[in-house]
Amino acid sequence: MKIGELGRATGTSVETIRFYEAEGLLSAPARNAANYRVYELAHLERLSFIKRSRDLGFTLDQVRELLRLADDPGNSCAGVDVITARHVAEIDRKLADLNALRGELVRRLDSCQGPTIADCRIIEALSPKSAAE
Amino acid sequence: MKIGELGRATGTSVETIRFYEAEGLLSAPARNAANYRVYELAHLERLSFIKRSRDLGFTLDQVRELLRLADDPGNSCAGVDVITARHVAEIDRKLADLNALRGELVRRLDSCQGPTIADCRIIEALSPKSAAE
DNA sequence: ATGCACCCTGAAGTCACTATAGGGTCAAGC
DNA sequence: GCTTGACCCTATAGTGACTTCAGGGTGCAT
Ligand SMILES: [Zn+2]
Ligand SMILES: [Zn+2]
Ligand SMILES: [Zn+2]
Ligand SMILES: [Zn+2]
């Protein structure tokens, strides 16, 4: 299959596929007479793995590690589980941060009666005079 | 005050302050004989505003807009509220995404009994054979 | 022969900084 | 007076994970 087909099959853009190849995540495929990339089933499977991992929020470095671990089915999966648990912990941190931000913003939004900048509770929250709040 | 003092006063790194100047967010201050930046109170106030906005997760483009709106106290604050509401909506989207990811990851983590890659429920979730799931 | 979808490479742009290289300034202490 | 150290300066490159752009070539149908 050609790169466009592989992209459609995996939900990945052509540019991203070439980027993954340059990054060493996806091995360079054979070329046809026109110098077009020609992919095999193994490429489709590997790219699917990468796509799913990215969709689950793993970084490319984590994906690299997951691929390495996944390549040997006899290995212990402890490493995979550690990477995943660490990733969950990161997500928890982000969730906590975002929730705090959201709370602060919504509180301000709700209390703002306008009508002008001078009375705006959001601007007030941002302005240094309110620093003692 | 010099750039280091300003940085300590606002919790911003010296490099970030110079970056904000280059980006036009903070006006270029006067220089002393040694070509050091010399900041006034107005700079401190403006940088505080930027810092608070960034801490609340606004992008620099949004900060630019907020600064522009905040500069005229007679203006309606509708624009500010719109930017904020939009930002909250973005946060809500991110929260939903992260919660979904977290759920998927934790579900897999909990169900993985190991001991090898061949049995790992996380690798299974990533592998294309499980695509029909 | 012309259009169009598709493919190629290499380089630059995105965001919000951070880091690095290679210097200059200033006050204190020996 | 000379070094040490903290601080300041500019200009440039690096980060992550791509996306976009410039400037082409290929393959098939009309
Ligand atoms: Zn690693
Ligand atoms: Zn308001
Ligand atoms: Zn704008
Ligand atoms: Zn496992």
Side-chain angles (χ1 to χ4, degrees):
Chain A
M1 69 196 321
K2 283 186 290 180
I3 198 168
E5 283 175 90
L6 179 62
R8 279 186 297 277
T10 56
T12 313
S13 82
V14 166
E15 290 81 13
T16 299
I17 296 173
R18 288 196 281 244
F19 168 75
Y20 286 161
E21 182 182 324
E23 287 293 296
L25 278 156
L26 200 58
S27 67
R31 300 291 182 116
N32 69 11
N35 198 31
Y36 288 11
R37 290 170 177 83
V38 181
Y39 293 96
E40 310 296 329
L41 183 59
H43 289 105
L44 174 61
E45 284 175 2
R46 197 158 177 97
L47 182 55
S48 298
F49 186 104
I50 296 170
K51 180 65 162 56
R52 284 157 171 276
S53 305
R54 290 290 300 130
D55 284 350
L56 284 171
F58 289 102
T59 65
L60 286 189
D61 244 26
Q62 289 172 325
V63 173
R64 252 181 273 271
E65 194 76 1
L66 289 172
L67 281 166
R68 196 181 62 74
L69 293 169
D71 274 349
D72 191 344
N75 270 348
S76 156
C77 82
V80 173
D81 297 10
V82 165
I83 292 176
T84 306
R86 222 174 269 152
H87 183 34
V88 169
E90 265 166 50
I91 290 176
D92 283 345
R93 247 180 292 123
K94 278 188 198 163
L95 280 171
D97 283 357
L98 282 178
N99 268 315
L101 287 193
R102 201 200 119 88
E104 175 88 9
L105 290 168
V106 167
R107 204 144 39 76
R108 291 294 172 167
L109 257 187
D110 287 351
S111 68
C112 178
Q113 316 274 359
T116 65
I117 290 289
D119 311 308
C120 182
R121 296 293 306 261
I122 297 161
I123 293 295
E124 186 192 310
L126 298 173
S127 297
K129 289 139 202 165
S130 80
E133 178 216 354
Chain B
M1 69 196 320
K2 284 188 290 181
I3 196 167
E5 283 176 88
L6 180 62
R8 280 188 295 279
T10 56
T12 314
S13 82
V14 166
E15 291 79 14
T16 299
I17 295 173
R18 288 197 281 246
F19 169 74
Y20 286 162
E21 182 182 324
E23 288 293 296
L25 277 156
L26 200 57
S27 67
R31 301 292 182 113
N32 69 11
N35 197 31
Y36 289 12
R37 290 170 178 84
V38 181
Y39 292 97
E40 310 296 330
L41 183 60
H43 289 106
L44 174 61
E45 285 175 2
R46 198 162 175 94
L47 182 55
S48 299
F49 186 104
I50 296 170
K51 179 66 161 55
R52 284 156 172 276
S53 304
R54 288 290 301 131
D55 283 350
L56 284 170
F58 289 101
T59 66
L60 286 189
D61 245 26
Q62 289 171 323
V63 175
R64 251 181 273 272
E65 194 76 2
L66 289 172
L67 282 167
R68 197 181 61 73
L69 294 169
D71 273 348
D72 190 346
N75 270 348
S76 158
C77 82
V80 172
D81 298 10
V82 164
I83 291 176
T84 307
R86 221 175 268 152
H87 183 34
V88 169
E90 264 166 52
I91 290 177
D92 283 345
R93 244 179 295 126
K94 278 188 198 161
L95 280 171
D97 283 357
L98 282 177
N99 268 315
L101 288 193
R102 203 199 117 88
E104 175 91 11
L105 289 168
V106 168
R107 204 146 37 78
R108 291 294 171 166
L109 256 186
D110 286 351
S111 68
C112 177
Q113 318 271 0
T116 65
I117 290 289
D119 312 306
C120 181
R121 298 291 307 261
I122 297 162
I123 292 296
E124 186 193 309
L126 297 174
S127 296
K129 289 140 200 161
S130 80
E133 180 215 352

